[in-house]
Amino acid sequence: MEKYFLAALQSTTGIGSETIKKLLAHFGKASVAWQASKTELQASNLLNLSQLKNLLRQQKTFDLTSQVEFWQKKEIKIVSIFEDDYPSLLKEIYNPPLLLFYRGKMEVCQKKCLAIVGARKFSAYGRSIAHNLGRDLAANGYTVVSGAAYGIDTAAQKGALLGGTTAAVLGCGVDIAYPRENQRLLAQIAEQGVVLSEYLPGTRPKAGYFPARNRIISGLSRGVVVVEAARRSGSLITAEMALNAGRDVFAVPGSIYSEQSEGCNHLIQEGAKLITSAFDVLQEYEGRENICTFSAGKLNLTAEEAKVYAVLTPDKPLSLDELVAKLRMRVSHISFVLLQMKLKNIVTEVSTGSYIRRTGEKTIE
């Protein structure tokens, strides 16, 4: 139960990890600190007046038993830094969270972990690479760690779910889907991997929470892969945190004319390892002979699907009008063919009416 008393202390406004550590050192246990009287807390000389008032108020209003029952009903679990289930790599960083709230399987964070991060504003090129990196790293036994944000994070974690497991680190409570569009994705991650946060359930996302979230992403991981990032972005903050923690940093190069690639290209100039596929990352850890190459096998394409597939590329979306001009087929017919190919996961609609070929597959000769 001590971890639940830690959660109660953490729920108090104005009392952070450093103060909680001092309270633990003084009182010996979180339960003793939580149940301490006003006189005992004043005698400890560890809280300022505001903190003391907040804690005494929280003792009266925070119903710990009801909260624990509510978390259990929502299948939300807690692991503290003092338990063996707490991710070992995360303990090594500066100021690791005392508690992690999670849905799913925390043991996936004890496996080999690699982070994939990038911009919310992404290109078809970045989306395709992130998806394939996530898929191939997961297929080789790695847990792909990311933030479940819109963009590169989402693409990487969707790819990882095809090949294995992934961990989503949130800047809000684990019972909150942020962004809302990823509610289904987060549910799937909780089934196959883990959704985790240092923030209490019910905590709404705030801008200031995300840099702190990024230290957990890098802290869980042996290395961080940056796919697309502007020169000033949260992804570069994550990469910097990884370097400070002694972790590896990899970057996917991009066009010198693209703002979305400025951050990655800068990282490479500063010494990050340039990569073009999961193979480049895995060579650092596994050796060439131990790498599993993911392949969806040959595709069972109809003659018309093969024609459409042949003119699509992995990085430059083609609109329906462009496909009509290239293939000289009716709009209604191409639309039907594209729908069948989407259902087979052969093509991706990157925006309304624009399509790219999914990479990693081969057509029938």
Side-chain angles (χ1 to χ4, degrees):
M1 280 292 291
E2 283 301 306
K3 59 188 174 186
Y4 296 113
F5 286 106
L6 267 177
L9 289 170
Q10 188 172 304
S11 72
T12 307
T13 303
I15 294 184
S17 296
E18 291 305 312
T19 302
I20 292 175
K21 289 176 187 176
K22 293 175 184 177
L23 289 169
L24 291 177
H26 180 82
F27 289 102
K29 290 184 177 181
S31 55
V32 177
W34 173 252
Q35 295 166 346
S37 67
K38 179 179 180 180
T39 301
E40 290 170 328
L41 290 168
Q42 286 176 323
S44 73
N45 203 31
L46 295 174
L47 305 176
N48 61 37
L49 183 59
S50 176
Q51 290 173 322
L52 178 62
K53 288 181 178 179
N54 289 341
L55 181 52
L56 292 173
R57 185 186 305 113
Q58 194 73 342
Q59 287 174 340
K60 295 177 180 178
T61 60
F62 189 83
D63 188 339
L64 183 55
T65 301
S66 296
Q67 283 296 317
V68 171
E69 290 175 354
F70 175 74
W71 294 338
Q72 290 173 342
K73 184 178 179 181
K74 291 281 189 178
E75 298 185 333
I76 297 170
K77 304 169 189 175
I78 306 176
V79 62
S80 81
I81 197 170
F82 307 109
E83 296 179 285
D84 292 337
D85 292 342
Y86 190 94
S88 53
L89 270 182
L90 189 58
K91 290 182 180 181
E92 299 176 3
I93 69 169
Y94 172 74
N95 192 28
L98 295 178
L99 290 176
L100 292 173
F101 299 86
Y102 67 97
R103 293 188 297 120
K105 308 163 188 174
M106 183 56 73
E107 58 266 28
V108 304
C109 292
Q110 296 286 22
K111 295 171 58 178
K112 302 175 292 186
C113 294
L114 286 167
I116 300 177
V117 296
R120 287 173 172 81
K121 182 182 178 182
F122 59 95
S123 67
Y125 164 81
R127 179 179 184 173
S128 177
I129 289 173
H131 180 275
N132 291 341
L133 281 168
R135 179 198 64 193
D136 294 345
L137 291 174
N140 280 274
Y142 281 80
T143 295
V144 173
V145 183
S146 199
Y150 183 75
I152 295 300
D153 292 16
T154 293
Q157 297 196 278
K158 283 184 176 179
L161 289 171
L162 296 177
T165 59
T166 182
V169 186
L170 306 186
C172 57
V174 295
D175 56 335
I176 294 174
Y178 182 80
R180 288 183 182 179
E181 295 87 346
N182 278 356
Q183 184 171 3
R184 184 178 295 179
L185 173 64
L186 288 167
Q188 190 176 355
I189 292 173
E191 285 288 326
Q192 287 183 229
V194 66
V195 177
L196 63 101
S197 174
E198 67 178 314
Y199 301 108
L200 270 74
T203 302
R204 306 300 304 181
K206 291 183 180 179
Y209 292 161
F210 292 97
R213 182 274 310 266
N214 292 344
R215 87 186 192 288
I216 299 177
I217 292 175
S218 61
L220 288 169
S221 310
R222 297 171 68 177
V224 173
V225 181
V226 184
V227 176
E228 275 189 326
R231 191 64 176 264
R232 295 181 180 178
S233 68
S235 300
L236 295 197
I237 293 173
T238 307
E240 184 177 349
M241 290 175 172
L243 289 172
N244 291 338
R247 311 295 162 81
D248 301 314
V249 175
F250 307 90
V252 176
S255 169
I256 61 172
Y257 302 109
S258 170
E259 290 184 7
Q260 292 144 289
S261 293
E262 283 184 1
C264 289
N265 294 341
H266 175 71
L267 283 174
I268 293 167
Q269 285 181 320
E270 294 296 308
K273 182 175 176 62
L274 183 155
I275 65 159
T276 58
S277 69
F279 185 85
D280 296 330
V281 182
L282 293 167
Q283 272 193 302
E284 293 288 313
Y285 304 115
E286 305 297 333
R288 184 181 296 266
E289 67 280 1
N290 296 320
I291 297 174
C292 165
T293 302
F294 181 95
S295 175
K298 292 181 179 290
L299 302 175
N300 294 317
L301 299 180
T302 66
E304 289 177 334
E305 288 172 349
K307 289 179 182 178
V308 173
Y309 191 88
V311 300
L312 292 172
T313 68
D315 58 346
K316 184 181 179 182
L318 290 180
S319 68
L320 201 55
D321 288 342
E322 289 171 318
L323 287 170
V324 168
K326 286 177 179 290
L327 297 170
R328 300 185 183 279
M329 294 166 61
R330 296 192 309 275
V331 172
S332 59
H333 194 60
I334 289 182
S335 297
F336 175 77
V337 173
L338 286 168
L339 175 61
Q340 301 307 307
M341 294 174 77
K342 283 173 64 178
L343 293 173
K344 292 181 180 180
N345 287 323
I346 299 166
V347 302
T348 298
E349 187 173 8
V350 294
S351 59
T352 304
S354 294
Y355 302 85
I356 59 171
R357 175 202 295 183
R358 287 194 56 188
T359 57
E361 299 89 0
K362 298 178 181 178
T363 55
I364 297 172
E365 298 296 336

